[in-house]
Amino acid sequence: MAGAAAEQRRLATVVESWLGRPVLIVGDAMLDEWRFADSDRLCREAPAPVLTLRRRISAAGGAANTAVNVAALGGRAVLVAPVGADVAGDELHDCLDRAGVWDRTVNQPGRPTPVKRRMLAGNQILLREDSGDPEDALDHDGVGRLLTALSCATEELRAAAGGEAPTLVVCDYGLGALPAPVRAWLVRNRERYATVALDAHDLADWRGLAPTVVTPSFAEATRLLARAGGTTRPTGGTELHLEHPDGGDPADGPSEMTVGAAPGAVRADDTTAEPSRPGHPGPVGEPTPGEGRVALTGDGLSVTGTGVTVNTRAGEGVDRAVLAESRLAELRAHTGADVVAVTLDTEGAVVGGADGEPRRSHSTPVPASHAVGAGDAYLAAMTLALAADAPLPTAAQLAQLAATITVSDTGTCVCRRDDLLAALDQPTDTTSHPALVGGDELDAIVAEYREAGRSVVFTNGCFDVLHRGHVRYLEQARALGDLLIVAVNSDGSVRRLKGPDRPVNPVEDRGALLAALACVDHVVVFEEDSPAALIEAVRPDVYVKGGDYPPELVPEAPLVRRLGGQVRTLGYVPDRSTSAIIERIRSHSQDPSPHTGEREPDPSLRTRTQAS
């Protein structure tokens, strides 16, 4: 028992060590839409259920969900991806904002944001509608803007990390976000990233990247072996054989591949060892042939798709895990990766590194609607652990744990740092201080955090009428460290800075609203016009101000740097400001609406707004 507790503490130490680690995610971002309905009858026109929509939720999907998982696990996540100028794109931006992901996506007018819409009844997925065509390629201008965003985000992360090379995660799901020029740029600039993780449906497109880790599904791994050409090799007395049909591997896609017992090695009593083939009863589930991917058949015994067929039932004792273990060395050679992690859905994963020792992890079978995005959680945790220099067995354990604990309910999976620590029976908070604190308490609070090895982010402002711009700003600030302290100007200080009609809300209300935000750890009120005294007391690791100007223009910058901290400026959400909101309120209170006829606005409302 003591040994298990020590192991959990060791794993928790790794989780703590990756806090704030800079990670750039690039690839196919999409929106996951879930529609929950009730059905108690069939329609008269066809034997189809009549659905009554009860609830709709949206979540980040694909590369965007990987970025959300990185941020939720405590990393500093920046997403670069093309996103359409449409409603789905707006919803995706909101998902990223709520998760604290630095949104560096590139607007692509005329190219829709990919969406996966699922309709459920009784938590059973009835159908899925996909929009977003992989043939909608980025135009020349779009590629150029994406490359500019990549380069800028890389340097932004490097600066935020004090010159440390960031980690790169590539999510290539074949939806057109990573055309050849972008892939070539990433290969050429490989040295700008310390750790590189690759999750690609077609790994052959990424020759030359030399990733630290690749995380193919079993089907994606078999496709790569098919395209690379297989050889016969013994594994524990049973020879596994890859055979290609006549004509070789066509240039435009993978060839057919059959995996089973080598000729002559099939058991005489095995009547089920016939390889799957085109024309055989088809697969269920994703993907469609147009996506050029591979899908698992309903019996769980074979994988088939566009030109690829794999039957793992042939050969005594051969299953997907055994087969994957037998080909880890080849997969490492073909991908150039230090680590290969072949994911096996509800059967866990098989991981291999340079030592040639396969490592097997297991998962708990769950309904398919519970496991959407679990691979993104696996990828995020594996990447963060390797970036934090964790040993491979530790990284594999944490990745599998992150994927497993996210599948408890229907929806897109996100693993949060606190959930991961709770699964390791570790406390998620090192202090029990209240959110609203006095200035005289800060010294003890900060000292306690520092003793626990946590970095401190500090910002200040009036925060008079809390709005979306404030929330996004504070979420981004929180992502720069382990905890966020917000200093809010007192009422007297606001009047001196903003004028006699401000603040609109008293400091008690402003402080309470800030303290209620999940991204804010502590709120402290200060009377002075400058937060210099609090900065001296807190000695923040990162001092954050809002604005589009360089950090050098921040008045507090020399003080912060003298105390050993760094200064960051974060841009505001366009058209979101307290002054603009107050002006709109005043305008509406003074100008009668054309729909109200001769009715005057409420006099009490007009008096209050004019006096504010």
Side-chain angles (χ1 to χ4, degrees), residues 13-25 70 73-77 157 161 164-169 190 192-198 211-214 338-339 378-396 398-399:
T13 300
V14 175
V15 177
E16 296 288 356
S17 72
W18 71 44
L19 278 169
R21 191 159 296 273
V23 182
L24 171 62
I25 300 95
V70 168
L73 286 167
R76 188 176 301 166
L157 272 178
E164 176 186 355
T167 293
L168 173 69
V169 180
R190 169 64 177 85
R192 297 174 70 175
Y193 308 99
T195 301
V196 174
L198 172 63
T212 308
V213 57
V214 294
D338 298 327
V339 175
Y378 184 97
L379 174 64
M382 172 68 80
T383 302
L384 286 167
L386 292 176
D389 297 322
L392 181 54
T394 298
L398 288 170

Side-chain angles (χ1 to χ4, degrees), residues 86 141 153 185 192 249 253 280 329 348 493 528 577 587:
D86 50 20
D141 179 62
W185 187 93
R192 297 174 70 175
D249 188 7
H280 198 268
S493 177
E528 302 80 10
S577 73
S587 174

Side-chain angles (χ1 to χ4, degrees), residues 29-77:
M30 63 190 77
L31 183 74
D32 277 353
E33 183 180 294
W34 298 80
R35 298 189 175 203
F36 298 88
D38 292 338
S39 177
D40 55 11
R41 60 193 173 94
L42 297 178
C43 69
R44 290 179 294 177
E45 298 85 0
V50 176
L51 303 176
T52 303
L53 184 63
R54 298 300 185 193
R55 184 165 57 103
R56 174 187 175 275
I57 60 175
S58 295
N65 189 44
T66 300
V68 168
N69 273 276
V70 168
L73 286 167
R76 188 176 301 166

Side-chain angles (χ1 to χ4, degrees), residues 353-376:
D355 60 5
E357 183 68 28
R359 296 164 179 88
R360 180 81 164 89
S361 60
H362 298 270
S363 184
T364 303
V366 295
S369 61
H370 289 196
V372 174
D376 302 329

Side-chain angles (χ1 to χ4, degrees), residues 246-447:
D246 295 337
D249 188 7
D252 60 349
S255 67
E256 179 182 351
M257 178 184 72
T258 300
V259 180
V266 180
R267 290 174 296 142
D269 61 344
D270 190 352
T271 60
T272 62
E274 180 184 354
S276 300
R277 59 187 180 279
H280 198 268
V284 296
E286 66 174 313
T288 64
E291 291 175 306
R293 306 183 201 165
V294 191
L296 183 66
T297 55
D299 60 7
L301 300 176
S302 55
V303 178
T304 180
T306 306
V308 178
T309 304
V310 182
N311 187 323
T312 60
R313 191 166 180 179
E316 183 176 5
V318 175
D319 61 18
R320 294 196 305 166
V322 172
L323 182 57
E325 287 182 7
S326 73
R327 313 313 286 266
L328 286 174
E330 289 172 74
L331 289 169
R332 288 185 62 247
H334 292 319
T335 60
D338 298 327
V339 175
V340 172
V342 181
T343 56
L344 305 171
D345 315 308
T346 57
E347 297 175 31
V350 173
V351 182
D355 60 5
E357 183 68 28
R359 296 164 179 88
R360 180 81 164 89
S361 60
H362 298 270
S363 184
T364 303
V366 295
S369 61
H370 289 196
V372 174
D376 302 329
Y378 184 97
L379 174 64
M382 172 68 80
T383 302
L384 286 167
L386 292 176
D389 297 322
L392 181 54
T394 298
Q397 280 181 277
L398 288 170
Q400 188 63 66
L401 182 59
T404 301
I405 64 178
T406 63
V407 296
S408 59
D409 201 357
T410 298
T412 304
C413 295
V414 175
C415 182
R416 293 171 175 80
R417 172 180 170 272
D418 286 354
D419 296 334
L420 191 55
L421 290 173
L424 295 169
D425 292 329
Q426 301 301 306
T428 56
D429 291 311
T430 56
T431 70
S432 56
H433 299 291
L436 284 164
V437 298
D440 53 351
E441 300 176 73
L442 272 182
D443 287 345
I445 290 173
V446 172

Side-chain angles (χ1 to χ4, degrees), residues 335-561:
T335 60
D338 298 327
V339 175
V340 172
V342 181
T343 56
L344 305 171
D345 315 308
T346 57
E347 297 175 31
V350 173
V351 182
D355 60 5
E357 183 68 28
R359 296 164 179 88
R360 180 81 164 89
S361 60
H362 298 270
S363 184
T364 303
V366 295
S369 61
H370 289 196
V372 174
D376 302 329
Y378 184 97
L379 174 64
M382 172 68 80
T383 302
L384 286 167
L386 292 176
D389 297 322
L392 181 54
T394 298
Q397 280 181 277
L398 288 170
Q400 188 63 66
L401 182 59
T404 301
I405 64 178
T406 63
V407 296
S408 59
D409 201 357
T410 298
T412 304
C413 295
V414 175
C415 182
R416 293 171 175 80
R417 172 180 170 272
D418 286 354
D419 296 334
L420 191 55
L421 290 173
L424 295 169
D425 292 329
Q426 301 301 306
T428 56
D429 291 311
T430 56
T431 70
S432 56
H433 299 291
L436 284 164
V437 298
D440 53 351
E441 300 176 73
L442 272 182
D443 287 345
I445 290 173
V446 172
E448 191 171 337
Y449 281 123
R450 289 263 161 69
E451 187 177 350
R454 305 180 76 183
S455 59
V456 177
V457 181
F458 181 92
T459 190
N460 62 277
C462 299
F463 299 101
D464 192 0
V465 178
L466 199 63
H467 54 73
R468 177 189 171 193
H470 287 140
V471 174
R472 179 178 178 181
Y473 165 77
L474 292 171
E475 287 175 336
Q476 291 181 329
R478 176 62 174 80
L480 295 174
D482 299 338
L483 74 146
L484 175 63
I485 296 175
V486 179
V488 60
N489 295 75
S490 68
D491 292 348
S493 177
V494 173
R495 280 191 290 271
R496 292 191 296 272
L497 292 172
K498 302 289 186 180
D501 61 344
R502 299 282 295 275
V504 172
N505 293 303
V507 71
E508 293 82 7
D509 293 351
R510 291 183 282 129
L513 285 174
L514 288 168
L517 296 176
C519 57
V520 175
D521 294 283
H522 298 295
V523 177
V524 60
V525 177
F526 66 102
E527 295 288 343
E528 302 80 10
D529 294 344
S530 166
L534 283 174
I535 292 174
E536 289 269 11
V538 174
R539 305 175 70 90
D541 299 282
V542 184
Y543 177 67
V544 182
K545 288 294 288 183
D548 296 322
Y549 44 81
E552 290 72 23
L553 296 183
V554 175
E556 296 82 5
L559 171 61
V560 174
R561 293 196 175 104

